[in-house]
Amino acid sequence: MKQILVIGAGPAGMMAAIRAAENGAEVTLLEKMKRPGRKMMITGKGRCNITNAADVPEIIRNIHGNGAFLNSSMRAFDNRDVMDFFVEQGVPVKVERGNRVFPVSDKAQDVVDAMVHRLHELGVRIELEMPVTDILLQEGRVAGVRTKSGAHYKADAVILAVGGASYPGTGSTGDGYAMAKKLSHTIVPLQPSLVPLETEEEWVKDVQGLSLRNVRATLLADGGKVQEMFGEMMFTHFGVTGPIILSMSRQAAKCLADGKFVELELNLKPALTPEKLDARVQRDFEQYIRKSLKNGLMDLLPHKLIEPVLDCAYLDPEKPVHQVTAEERHRLVETLQHLTLTITKTRPLAEAIVTAGGVSVREINPKTMESKLVPGLYFAGEVVDVDAYTGGYNLQAAFSMGNAAGCWSVWNDD
């Protein structure tokens, strides 16, 4: 019976341990935290967005960091397999807006409990509060691991699934990168992905907590368009966040790292052409002709946003509507569709939902997840240089990689 060690009880690690045990291995799962699945507990705002119901090519397109690397592993264990797995474990699922898949209960705890229950059912030995420091080799191949306490565990194969370097409070403190680097693996520089952005403009503090739906946001670097997304965002005391902002943050981080001047241009009324928006503004002005400019926009904008927009358009909020010139009105329309924020930096990597960068995919077999440099060493999850947009894609990637690593660690006879 093969002895398999899995380091890290996150989604990838637990799935790897389950699959290895189902294939007849004796499996030990080593986790540094007091409980398994700590980071899973906070995904999807505590509801756990386990996957996405789109077809596989669409999912891979949304894995913007090395999605093609997952072609084999995802086709071997795709989103339908993930949904079936949880249903079989007694966790029914539902599909929501954007094809996001959640447990019907809306409780991440149910997802984690189901995986832990399956591990126990299969006889997987779970060792908690057991941080690993080194992967041990013998004659060039994996022989086991050493823990922080000095304990040694022997193994025929080791699966490294310790997560990235974001949300360190959940156990993702970058340990895996150090272990992989000691074994001569290349670590692609780490950057935050799915992280809020900080802005230079102070007015965002005045509108913090305000959410906007149906906004088109365009990311600009040195004046050139980098990325454009449509959807929901929110202002914070330091800048901006929300689904479309998080999805653009990887590119923003890259542009900032390259020393570029980064801006975010917001179209608050993307459904209207400039001409139609101008006509709409004129109708509102006719209705509120005896009011001040700030009160003449109450039907067009959220109350909190009116004065910042007028300020950006260089218009006096107290000016009577009937005194607004055509040129001033056109300036207002321009601002409504090109409200620009200067991005100064991302929030810290520790606050990112996902880490971009990690163990280079060039050094991992995409079918088996085995290292091309060290026989018997497998990788799965966020420790690998793979990351995706928000929407269930990152957890799907973790489950697919975990499945491949768990199965092939048992099947391989190298």
Side-chain angles (χ1 to χ4, degrees):
M1 184 181 287
K2 273 199 170 182
Q3 305 282 324
I4 307 295
L5 279 176
V6 182
I7 311 173
M14 287 195 285
M15 185 60 75
I18 288 167
R19 288 300 188 230
E22 286 176 345
N23 279 281
E26 186 174 310
V27 183
T28 300
L29 177 58
L30 303 174
E31 167 57 44
K32 70 188 287 187
M33 304 301 286
K34 292 181 180 180
R35 290 187 314 217
R38 283 292 299 276
K39 193 172 178 182
M40 286 180 74
M41 294 293 293
I42 60 173
T43 61
K45 296 179 181 176
R47 298 171 60 218
C48 198
N49 184 187
I50 59 173
T51 187
N52 192 283
D55 59 22
V56 171
E58 178 66 16
I59 291 176
I60 288 173
R61 277 194 294 274
N62 279 281
I63 300 172
H64 53 164
N66 294 313
F69 170 76
L70 297 178
N71 268 313
S72 294
S73 62
M74 197 167 292
R75 290 184 188 282
F77 191 70
D78 64 16
N79 52 346
R80 303 293 160 188
D81 296 316
V82 168
M83 288 185 266
D84 289 346
F85 170 83
F86 283 107
V87 169
E88 286 165 14
Q89 304 311 313
V91 182
V93 299
K94 60 182 177 180
V95 181
E96 296 188 1
R97 183 171 54 89
N99 280 321
R100 289 166 164 81
V101 179
F102 292 91
V104 169
S105 67
D106 286 329
K107 294 179 181 177
Q109 184 72 60
D110 291 349
V111 177
V112 175
D113 287 349
M115 297 192 83
V116 173
H117 179 264
R118 182 61 177 151
L119 289 165
H120 287 311
E121 203 171 54
L122 291 164
V124 173
R125 181 181 170 194
I126 304 173
E127 298 275 4
L128 300 174
E129 297 184 271
M130 192 65 69
V132 174
T133 55
D134 294 283
I135 296 167
L136 306 175
L137 306 185
Q138 188 174 339
E139 296 179 359
R141 68 162 293 122
V142 162
V145 304
R146 179 168 48 239
T147 69
K148 190 175 182 179
S149 65
H152 285 225
Y153 288 78
K154 291 183 179 180
D156 297 301
V158 169
I159 301 171
L160 187 59
V162 291
S166 55
Y167 285 112
T170 66
S172 297
T173 53
D175 306 352
Y177 307 127
M179 284 186 264
K181 196 171 183 179
K182 282 181 187 176
L183 300 177
S184 301
H185 274 278
T186 302
I187 306 301
V188 176
L190 308 183
Q191 288 184 336
S193 183
L194 301 185
V195 68
L197 302 176
E198 294 192 17
T199 64
E200 184 178 279
E201 287 74 17
E202 290 286 322
W203 61 260
V204 295
K205 293 177 183 176
D206 299 327
V207 296
Q208 62 179 294
L210 175 65
S211 290
L212 299 177
R213 291 189 175 185
N214 305 321
V215 173
R216 179 172 290 117
T218 304
L219 188 70
L220 304 169
D222 289 345
K225 179 178 168 182
V226 175
Q227 194 176 9
E228 185 176 272
M229 300 205 82
F230 175 84
E232 190 175 341
M233 61 164 287
M234 185 174 77
F235 292 100
T236 71
H237 66 283
F238 56 75
V240 285
T241 188
I244 60 175
I245 303 301
L246 297 177
S247 292
M248 292 195 291
S249 62
R250 189 182 200 268
Q251 287 293 335
K254 184 177 184 301
C255 293
L256 288 165
D258 291 341
K260 294 181 178 177
F261 178 65
V262 180
E263 296 170 291
L264 187 70
E265 188 178 271
L266 304 177
N267 185 341
L268 304 175
K269 301 293 175 183
L272 301 176
T273 63
E275 294 75 22
K276 286 185 177 178
L277 180 56
D278 184 45
R280 163 69 196 276
V281 170
Q282 287 187 65
R283 286 199 302 274
D284 283 7
F285 280 5
E286 287 170 11
Q287 183 178 350
Y288 298 112
I289 197 163
R290 298 189 183 280
K291 293 186 178 290
S292 64
L293 191 47
K294 68 180 181 183
N295 292 324
L297 297 177
M298 64 178 69
D299 294 343
L300 193 65
L301 290 170
H303 176 73
K304 277 187 176 181
L305 202 54
I306 292 174
E307 291 211 23
V309 165
L310 290 172
D311 189 52
C312 291
Y314 303 103
L315 294 171
D316 178 3
E318 303 300 333
K319 187 170 188 174
V321 166
H322 68 270
Q323 290 182 14
V324 175
T325 66
E327 190 276 330
E328 288 173 328
R329 193 184 70 245
H330 293 150
R331 204 158 69 227
L332 172 61
V333 168
E334 174 76 9
T335 302
L336 288 168
Q337 298 197 308
H338 300 275
L339 183 62
T340 304
L341 292 162
T342 305
I343 305 302
T344 54
K345 58 183 175 179
T346 68
R347 294 296 283 175
L349 177 57
E351 294 182 26
I353 295 173
V354 174
T355 307
V359 179
S360 173
V361 297
R362 295 181 181 181
E363 298 168 357
I364 303 171
N365 182 320
K367 181 179 180 182
T368 65
M369 294 296 137
E370 186 175 21
S371 164
K372 293 179 181 179
L373 308 182
V374 182
L377 174 62
Y378 295 77
F379 296 97
E382 201 178 340
V383 71
V384 180
D385 181 23
V386 170
D387 64 289
Y389 293 126
T390 181
Y393 307 110
N394 286 291
L395 272 182
Q396 175 63 51
F399 291 136
S400 293
M401 285 189 273
N403 172 76
C407 292
W408 285 98
S409 64
V410 181
W411 297 341
N412 269 346
D413 291 320
D414 48 22

